[in-house]
Amino acid sequence: MNMANTAVVAPPPPKRLEELSLPRVFMRDVALKTIFRKNANTVTYLSKAICLPIGITQEIIDIARGQGLLEAMGTLGAHSTTNEMVYQLTDSGKARAMDALAQSEYFGAMPVPLDVYSQQVRRQSIRNVHITREQLMGAMGHLVLPSTLISHLGPAVGSGRSILMYGPPGNGKSSISNGIRDAMGDKIYIPRAVEYSGQVITVFDPIVHSAAEVEEDDPTALRRRNRFDTRYVLCDRPTVITGGELSLNMLDLVYNPTARTYQAPLQLKSTGGIFIVDDLGRQAEPPQKLVNRWIVPLEESKDILALQSGEKFEVPFDTLVIFSTNFHPNEIFDKAALRRIFFKIKIDGPNQEDFLKIFALVARKKKMQLDEEALIYLLKTKYPTIDNIYANYQPVFLIDQMIAVCDFEGWPYKMTKELVDRAWANMFVKDEHIVK
């Protein structure tokens, strides 16, 4: 990634309590719940648990002490490396923590207000990414692609707009989607949780987000360097991949009635990154209905979510959406839907020359010795039976089949006509009527 063009501005660490833009009672209660659940009894421990600077954490502790919810118990003592004050909840503090937990089980990292996070989204927008031809080709160097495909993909990826890839199955649409993901080599900041109208929505998800290693400050050092607001996690640009399992309710807020908190939907977790809808047309809902759900986000760069109360609110939509389908677009979309998908790119199967390149690459990787006579037999005898239609998946399939036969028979890994026949027999199912 050209970091000179796409350097992401980090969220600055807050210096004062007011900069958090959260109600004081809300912040106090998150701290009390964290102390109660994690026994965070020093300012250093609590500071790390709620992801705030020590100075601001001390302010919150002082507010709770002033209200009789916390009390100081003295220092850690001579056996400790620091001479920190130890705090504990008073009876009133325990009661308040229990009451706050009854309203919401959320504790730990102080949430980022939604409007503050929206500002960070703009600073690290997917539309700020600039990918060169060399970078895109480097990320897809392991693929044999038509020479014109990169020319179509490059502007599509660089725009940060929606992409529809369509064409016959088995020709690398999923691999190309992953290559686009790999080409985006920079990192962005993902909030651990956001707050809207007093409700907490968790965003950071270790399954979706790949956290980068960040050097931690030494808590005993005289000067601590706060590089960015630690309520965020520095991550690779996220990628969410869904397939036939995608349903409309997966694009809504997920409410946990036990914890009384929300989890961000998939598209919000993918903010600043890529959302891949693979195998479009295989979902329970019709493709038209799924795309209709994306119309407002794709056009206005915002999405509408709803709380349990029914209250609706806007969240940023800053995601490169890639739809991948084996169907022709005209079969599954109306013209209005197609108009809203910015780029439409057809992914065809390879020609014979590219097919042979892929076949040779796979054979070398899997240590299958090729044979000219057997290759000619494959091309001149077998492929005419399917009208010489080549697909990218076929070399891997055929060579894996030949290797399986060789392993079973105890033969050396060398391509023969017999191996071609046995492999070919498993690649297609003969159309026939089965008597029941």
Side-chain angles (χ1 to χ4, degrees), residues 219-252:
T220 64
L222 293 177
R223 296 188 65 181
R224 301 183 67 188
R225 299 165 296 167
N226 291 320
R227 299 173 184 82
F228 62 89
D229 187 341
T230 54
R231 292 179 297 166
Y232 293 82
V233 182
L234 182 63
C235 300
D236 296 328
R237 287 190 181 270
T239 300
V240 171
I241 303 176
T242 64
E245 79 283 0
L246 178 64
S247 59
L248 285 173
N249 61 12
M250 294 169 69
L251 305 178
D252 296 330

CSV table of all heavy atoms in Angstrom, one decimal, residues 219-252:
chain,number,residue,atom,x,y,z
A,219,PRO,N,4.1,1.1,32.6
A,219,PRO,CA,3.3,1.9,33.6
A,219,PRO,C,4.2,2.6,34.6
A,219,PRO,O,3.8,3.5,35.3
A,219,PRO,CB,2.3,0.9,34.2
A,219,PRO,CG,3.0,-0.4,33.9
A,219,PRO,CD,3.7,-0.3,32.6
A,220,THR,N,5.4,2.0,34.8
A,220,THR,CA,6.3,2.6,35.9
A,220,THR,C,7.2,3.7,35.3
A,220,THR,O,7.9,4.3,36.1
A,220,THR,CB,7.2,1.5,36.5
A,220,THR,OG1,8.0,1.0,35.4
A,220,THR,CG2,6.3,0.3,37.0
A,221,ALA,N,7.2,3.9,34.0
A,221,ALA,CA,8.0,4.9,33.4
A,221,ALA,C,7.6,6.3,33.8
A,221,ALA,O,6.4,6.6,34.1
A,221,ALA,CB,8.0,4.8,31.9
A,222,LEU,N,8.6,7.2,33.9
A,222,LEU,CA,8.3,8.6,34.3
A,222,LEU,C,7.4,9.3,33.3
A,222,LEU,O,6.5,10.1,33.7
A,222,LEU,CB,9.6,9.4,34.5
A,222,LEU,CG,10.5,8.9,35.7
A,222,LEU,CD1,11.8,9.7,35.8
A,222,LEU,CD2,9.7,9.0,37.0
A,223,ARG,N,7.7,9.0,32.1
A,223,ARG,CA,6.9,9.6,31.0
A,223,ARG,C,6.2,8.5,30.1
A,223,ARG,O,6.9,7.6,29.7
A,223,ARG,CB,7.7,10.5,30.1
A,223,ARG,CG,8.3,11.7,30.8
A,223,ARG,CD,8.9,12.7,29.9
A,223,ARG,NE,7.9,13.3,29.0
A,223,ARG,CZ,8.2,14.1,28.0
A,223,ARG,NH1,9.5,14.5,27.8
A,223,ARG,NH2,7.3,14.6,27.2
A,224,ARG,N,5.0,8.6,30.0
A,224,ARG,CA,4.3,7.6,29.2
A,224,ARG,C,3.8,8.2,27.8
A,224,ARG,O,3.4,9.3,27.8
A,224,ARG,CB,3.0,7.0,29.9
A,224,ARG,CG,3.4,6.4,31.2
A,224,ARG,CD,2.2,5.8,31.9
A,224,ARG,NE,1.7,4.7,31.2
A,224,ARG,CZ,0.5,4.1,31.4
A,224,ARG,NH1,-0.2,4.5,32.5
A,224,ARG,NH2,0.1,3.1,30.7
A,225,ARG,N,4.0,7.5,26.8
A,225,ARG,CA,3.7,8.0,25.4
A,225,ARG,C,2.4,7.4,25.0
A,225,ARG,O,2.3,6.2,24.7
A,225,ARG,CB,4.8,7.6,24.5
A,225,ARG,CG,6.2,8.2,24.8
A,225,ARG,CD,7.3,7.4,24.0
A,225,ARG,NE,7.3,6.0,24.4
A,225,ARG,CZ,8.0,5.1,23.8
A,225,ARG,NH1,8.6,5.4,22.7
A,225,ARG,NH2,8.0,3.9,24.2
A,226,ASN,N,1.4,8.2,25.0
A,226,ASN,CA,0.1,7.8,24.5
A,226,ASN,C,0.0,8.1,23.0
A,226,ASN,O,-0.2,9.2,22.5
A,226,ASN,CB,-1.1,8.5,25.2
A,226,ASN,CG,-1.2,8.1,26.6
A,226,ASN,OD1,-1.0,6.9,26.9
A,226,ASN,ND2,-1.4,9.0,27.5
A,227,ARG,N,0.2,7.0,22.2
A,227,ARG,CA,0.3,7.2,20.7
A,227,ARG,C,-1.1,7.5,20.1
A,227,ARG,O,-1.2,8.2,19.1
A,227,ARG,CB,1.0,6.0,20.1
A,227,ARG,CG,2.4,5.8,20.6
A,227,ARG,CD,2.9,4.5,20.0
A,227,ARG,NE,4.3,4.2,20.5
A,227,ARG,CZ,4.5,3.7,21.7
A,227,ARG,NH1,3.5,3.4,22.5
A,227,ARG,NH2,5.7,3.4,22.1
A,228,PHE,N,-2.1,6.8,20.6
A,228,PHE,CA,-3.5,7.0,20.1
A,228,PHE,C,-4.4,6.6,21.2
A,228,PHE,O,-4.1,6.0,22.3
A,228,PHE,CB,-3.7,6.2,18.9
A,228,PHE,CG,-3.6,4.7,19.1
A,228,PHE,CD1,-4.7,3.9,19.4
A,228,PHE,CD2,-2.4,4.0,18.9
A,228,PHE,CE1,-4.6,2.5,19.6
A,228,PHE,CE2,-2.2,2.7,19.0
A,228,PHE,CZ,-3.3,1.9,19.4
A,229,ASP,N,-5.7,6.9,21.0
A,229,ASP,CA,-6.7,6.6,22.0
A,229,ASP,C,-6.9,5.1,22.1
A,229,ASP,O,-7.3,4.4,21.1
A,229,ASP,CB,-8.0,7.3,21.5
A,229,ASP,CG,-9.2,7.1,22.5
A,229,ASP,OD1,-9.1,6.3,23.4
A,229,ASP,OD2,-10.2,7.9,22.3
A,230,THR,N,-6.6,4.5,23.2
A,230,THR,CA,-6.6,3.0,23.3
A,230,THR,C,-8.0,2.4,23.5
A,230,THR,O,-8.1,1.2,23.6
A,230,THR,CB,-5.7,2.6,24.5
A,230,THR,OG1,-6.1,3.3,25.7
A,230,THR,CG2,-4.2,2.9,24.3
A,231,ARG,N,-9.0,3.3,23.4
A,231,ARG,CA,-10.3,2.7,23.2
A,231,ARG,C,-10.5,2.1,21.8
A,231,ARG,O,-11.5,1.4,21.6
A,231,ARG,CB,-11.4,3.8,23.5
A,231,ARG,CG,-11.4,4.3,24.9
A,231,ARG,CD,-12.5,5.4,25.1
A,231,ARG,NE,-12.1,6.5,24.3
A,231,ARG,CZ,-13.0,7.5,24.1
A,231,ARG,NH1,-14.3,7.4,24.5
A,231,ARG,NH2,-12.6,8.6,23.4
A,232,TYR,N,-9.6,2.4,21.0
A,232,TYR,CA,-9.5,1.8,19.6
A,232,TYR,C,-8.4,0.7,19.6
A,232,TYR,O,-7.5,0.7,20.4
A,232,TYR,CB,-9.2,2.8,18.6
A,232,TYR,CG,-10.2,3.9,18.4
A,232,TYR,CD1,-10.3,5.0,19.2
A,232,TYR,CD2,-11.1,3.8,17.3
A,232,TYR,CE1,-11.2,6.0,19.0
A,232,TYR,CE2,-12.0,4.8,17.1
A,232,TYR,CZ,-12.1,5.9,17.9
A,232,TYR,OH,-13.0,6.9,17.7
A,233,VAL,N,-8.6,-0.2,18.6
A,233,VAL,CA,-7.6,-1.2,18.4
A,233,VAL,C,-7.0,-1.0,17.0
A,233,VAL,O,-7.8,-0.9,16.0
A,233,VAL,CB,-8.2,-2.7,18.5
A,233,VAL,CG1,-7.1,-3.7,18.3
A,233,VAL,CG2,-8.8,-2.9,19.9
A,234,LEU,N,-5.7,-0.9,16.8
A,234,LEU,CA,-5.1,-0.8,15.5
A,234,LEU,C,-5.2,-2.2,14.8
A,234,LEU,O,-4.6,-3.2,15.3
A,234,LEU,CB,-3.6,-0.4,15.7
A,234,LEU,CG,-2.9,-0.1,14.3
A,234,LEU,CD1,-3.5,1.0,13.5
A,234,LEU,CD2,-1.4,0.2,14.6
A,235,CYS,N,-5.8,-2.2,13.6
A,235,CYS,CA,-6.1,-3.4,12.9
A,235,CYS,C,-5.8,-3.3,11.4
A,235,CYS,O,-5.8,-2.2,10.9
A,235,CYS,CB,-7.5,-3.9,13.1
A,235,CYS,SG,-8.1,-4.1,14.8
A,236,ASP,N,-5.6,-4.4,10.8
A,236,ASP,CA,-5.6,-4.4,9.3
A,236,ASP,C,-7.0,-4.0,8.9
A,236,ASP,O,-8.0,-4.3,9.6
A,236,ASP,CB,-5.3,-5.9,8.8
A,236,ASP,CG,-3.9,-6.3,9.1
A,236,ASP,OD1,-3.0,-5.5,9.2
A,236,ASP,OD2,-3.7,-7.5,9.3
A,237,ARG,N,-7.1,-3.4,7.7
A,237,ARG,CA,-8.5,-3.1,7.2
A,237,ARG,C,-9.3,-4.4,7.2
A,237,ARG,O,-8.9,-5.4,6.7
A,237,ARG,CB,-8.4,-2.5,5.8
A,237,ARG,CG,-7.9,-1.1,5.8
A,237,ARG,CD,-8.1,-0.4,4.5
A,237,ARG,NE,-7.5,1.0,4.5
A,237,ARG,CZ,-8.3,2.0,4.9
A,237,ARG,NH1,-9.5,1.9,5.2
A,237,ARG,NH2,-7.7,3.2,4.9
A,238,PRO,N,-10.5,-4.4,7.8
A,238,PRO,CA,-11.2,-5.7,8.0
A,238,PRO,C,-11.8,-6.2,6.7
A,238,PRO,O,-12.1,-5.5,5.8
A,238,PRO,CB,-12.3,-5.2,9.0
A,238,PRO,CG,-12.5,-3.8,8.8
A,238,PRO,CD,-11.2,-3.2,8.4
A,239,THR,N,-12.0,-7.5,6.7
A,239,THR,CA,-12.7,-8.2,5.6
A,239,THR,C,-13.8,-9.1,6.2
A,239,THR,O,-13.5,-10.0,7.1
A,239,THR,CB,-11.8,-9.0,4.8
A,239,THR,OG1,-10.8,-8.1,4.2
A,239,THR,CG2,-12.5,-9.7,3.7
A,240,VAL,N,-15.0,-8.9,5.8
A,240,VAL,CA,-16.1,-9.8,6.2
A,240,VAL,C,-16.5,-10.6,5.0
A,240,VAL,O,-16.8,-10.0,3.9
A,240,VAL,CB,-17.3,-9.0,6.8
A,240,VAL,CG1,-18.5,-10.0,6.9
A,240,VAL,CG2,-17.0,-8.4,8.1
A,241,ILE,N,-16.5,-11.9,5.1
A,241,ILE,CA,-16.9,-12.8,3.9
A,241,ILE,C,-18.1,-13.6,4.3
A,241,ILE,O,-18.1,-14.3,5.3
A,241,ILE,CB,-15.7,-13.7,3.5
A,241,ILE,CG1,-14.5,-12.9,3.2
A,241,ILE,CG2,-16.1,-14.6,2.3
A,241,ILE,CD1,-13.2,-13.8,2.9
A,242,THR,N,-19.2,-13.4,3.5
A,242,THR,CA,-20.4,-14.2,3.7
A,242,THR,C,-20.7,-14.9,2.4
A,242,THR,O,-20.3,-14.5,1.4
A,242,THR,CB,-21.6,-13.3,4.1
A,242,THR,OG1,-21.9,-12.5,3.1
A,242,THR,CG2,-21.3,-12.5,5.4
A,243,GLY,N,-21.5,-16.0,2.6
A,243,GLY,CA,-21.9,-16.8,1.4
A,243,GLY,C,-23.4,-17.1,1.5
A,243,GLY,O,-24.2,-16.2,1.7
A,244,GLY,N,-23.7,-18.3,1.2
A,244,GLY,CA,-25.1,-18.7,1.2
A,244,GLY,C,-25.8,-18.6,2.5
A,244,GLY,O,-27.0,-18.5,2.6
A,245,GLU,N,-25.0,-18.4,3.6
A,245,GLU,CA,-25.7,-18.3,4.9
A,245,GLU,C,-26.2,-16.9,5.2
A,245,GLU,O,-26.9,-16.7,6.2
A,245,GLU,CB,-24.7,-18.7,6.0
A,245,GLU,CG,-23.6,-17.6,6.4
A,245,GLU,CD,-22.5,-17.5,5.4
A,245,GLU,OE1,-22.5,-18.3,4.4
A,245,GLU,OE2,-21.6,-16.7,5.6
A,246,LEU,N,-25.8,-15.9,4.4
A,246,LEU,CA,-26.2,-14.5,4.6
A,246,LEU,C,-27.7,-14.4,4.6
A,246,LEU,O,-28.4,-14.8,3.7
A,246,LEU,CB,-25.6,-13.6,3.6
A,246,LEU,CG,-25.9,-12.1,3.7
A,246,LEU,CD1,-25.4,-11.5,5.0
A,246,LEU,CD2,-25.4,-11.3,2.5
A,247,SER,N,-28.2,-13.7,5.6
A,247,SER,CA,-29.7,-13.4,5.7
A,247,SER,C,-29.8,-11.9,6.1
A,247,SER,O,-28.9,-11.3,6.6
A,247,SER,CB,-30.4,-14.3,6.7
A,247,SER,OG,-29.8,-14.1,8.0
A,248,LEU,N,-31.0,-11.4,5.9
A,248,LEU,CA,-31.2,-9.9,6.1
A,248,LEU,C,-31.0,-9.6,7.6
A,248,LEU,O,-30.5,-8.5,8.0
A,248,LEU,CB,-32.6,-9.5,5.6
A,248,LEU,CG,-32.7,-9.4,4.1
A,248,LEU,CD1,-34.2,-9.1,3.8
A,248,LEU,CD2,-31.8,-8.2,3.6
A,249,ASN,N,-31.4,-10.5,8.5
A,249,ASN,CA,-31.3,-10.2,9.9
A,249,ASN,C,-29.9,-10.2,10.4
A,249,ASN,O,-29.6,-9.6,11.5
A,249,ASN,CB,-32.1,-11.2,10.8
A,249,ASN,CG,-31.7,-12.6,10.7
A,249,ASN,OD1,-30.6,-12.9,10.1
A,249,ASN,ND2,-32.5,-13.5,11.1
A,250,MET,N,-28.9,-10.7,9.6
A,250,MET,CA,-27.5,-10.6,10.0
A,250,MET,C,-27.0,-9.2,9.7
A,250,MET,O,-25.9,-8.8,10.2
A,250,MET,CB,-26.7,-11.6,9.1
A,250,MET,CG,-27.0,-13.0,9.5
A,250,MET,SD,-26.3,-14.2,8.3
A,250,MET,CE,-24.5,-14.0,8.7
A,251,LEU,N,-27.8,-8.3,9.1
A,251,LEU,CA,-27.4,-6.9,8.8
A,251,LEU,C,-28.1,-6.0,9.8
A,251,LEU,O,-28.0,-4.7,9.7
A,251,LEU,CB,-27.8,-6.5,7.4
A,251,LEU,CG,-27.2,-7.4,6.3
A,251,LEU,CD1,-27.7,-7.0,4.9
A,251,LEU,CD2,-25.7,-7.5,6.3
A,252,ASP,N,-28.7,-6.5,10.9
A,252,ASP,CA,-29.3,-5.7,11.9
A,252,ASP,C,-28.5,-5.8,13.2
A,252,ASP,O,-27.7,-6.7,13.4
A,252,ASP,CB,-30.7,-6.3,12.3
A,252,ASP,CG,-31.7,-6.1,11.1
A,252,ASP,OD1,-31.5,-5.2,10.3
A,252,ASP,OD2,-32.6,-6.9,11.0
